[in-house]
Amino acid sequence: MLRISCPFCGVRDHSEFSYGGDASVEYPALDASESEWVEAVFQRENLDGVQFETWQHIQGCRMWIVVERDTRSHAIHSVRPAHEGIARALNAEQDGVSAS
Amino acid sequence: MKPYSAWKVFVNGLTGQKGWDRAWRDPEPKTEYDVVIVGAGLHGLATAYYLAKNHGIKNIAVVEKGWLGGGNGGRNTTIVRSNYMLPGNREFYEHSLKLWENLSHDLNYNVMFSQRAHVTLLHSPAARDGAARRYNTMRLTGSDGELWDLETLKRNIPHLNYSADARFPIIGAMAQPRAGTARHDAVAWGYARGADQQGVDILQNCEVTGVARNGSTVTGLQTSRGVIRAKKIGFAVAGNTSRLWRMAELGKLPIESHKLQAFVSEPLKPLLDHVVVFGVGGAHFYISQSDKGGMVFGGDIDWYKSYAQRGNLPIVQDVAECATSILPCLGRVRLLRHWSGVMDMSMDGSPFICKTPLDNLYLNAGWNYGGFKASPASGWYFADLIANDRPDPVIANHTLDRFARGINIDERGAGPDPKLHG
């Protein structure tokens, strides 16, 4: 069992989460060329080692998160909200708490 | 190398088993081969065997980082069937089943292929209609398939949970009588011995560490046992395809590596004569009984990408729940061991047997859950592709560019998400 530290709910079993996929994939603009879309939808690095990947806390807060995990050892190095704005707000709040 | 026979078994039984040769040689690598296959799993060994047998190419090596048959060839639930529906897959798996039917004779090695029928349970009229469509389509290309009503099913397998109070009551089954199981290790050993007899060098403990390129061709491999040059190279390393692909500096693939677990129980007296599949709602489960008596079973993949040959516990629980749900008599049976293999999960659940961006490099990959049953045909068509440098029409669409061309071969209709193609 992997234990994932959800930024909102705390440490939970991975069976509460649903695996998304490679978080390094960036989707192109809607009017981008077909080959760019083929690349984003179908082609994967499939790294053996540390990768960033998306998970959804589907049986918890339902937020999407980005997990930095080693695909050989399953060791998890970091977790953050997938939404950049939420990640920034959460960081700011935590910095505020530690400063006070 | 002398052929095996019942007479030899008899004679050696009387003379202290001293008359047997080793089954294959342990040669030193030559500096150059006509064809080098990477991966001495079932697909790689079968490819070497058919390259020698069907195409007369003898100067072949199969390189393997561990020992032959030590990857997914030894980590599966040994089910053989051809109940696929889409064009290409249908002809491919039916050809594979036909090869299985004669494999023991062909290899002069008993692979213990047992055509005990593959029985998929049905739980709703809609599922029955879907099964009728699938099996009628299969019959168009010569595969066998039958719909069993509840009475036929009960006559064949009396001890399933037929309770009307079950979460998913059983209403019948679809069956493929020619399907069954085989002894997975024997398949690896049989192909290895057959290839070796025709002069193929099987190089174990020979890990590929680099792929040497000259422009748009490959010239050889750096391995832990030295440099090996080759006129043609074939990759057959499902699970690790992306790693080798990166060594050849070819970029990305429509593949993710996921792990699939399998389980075997303590040996029991004869209990189950068929392969039984239970798949409804969130359940996905398949079970048969080995010749040693162990119940061999498995379920879904672990749902997240991994290169670790190590399974997780939620799937153990999931599979145990499925087992006791359809065969409550297994409730107190103990698990003997379980293992996990790394699968190439492709973007549409179908494999690749194709040419690559490099002129003399060929790819055999993306077997998802289906690698074991496919081994003979996979070797057959991959050998044909390598020998003739063009695909047979049956595998013409099993290419890497099928996604760009919009001709995905998606049996489940699950879309481009590798983990969903179980």
Side-chain angles (χ1 to χ4, degrees), chain B residues 205-219:
Chain B
N205 297 309
C206 183
E207 181 171 5
V208 173
T209 54
V211 178
R213 274 179 62 174
N214 182 9
S216 66
T217 60
V218 278
T219 55

Side-chain angles (χ1 to χ4, degrees), chain B residues 211 213 244-251 358:
Chain B
V211 178
R213 274 179 62 174
L244 213 50
W245 203 246
R246 266 196 296 282
M247 282 186 206
E249 297 176 353
L250 288 168
L358 304 183

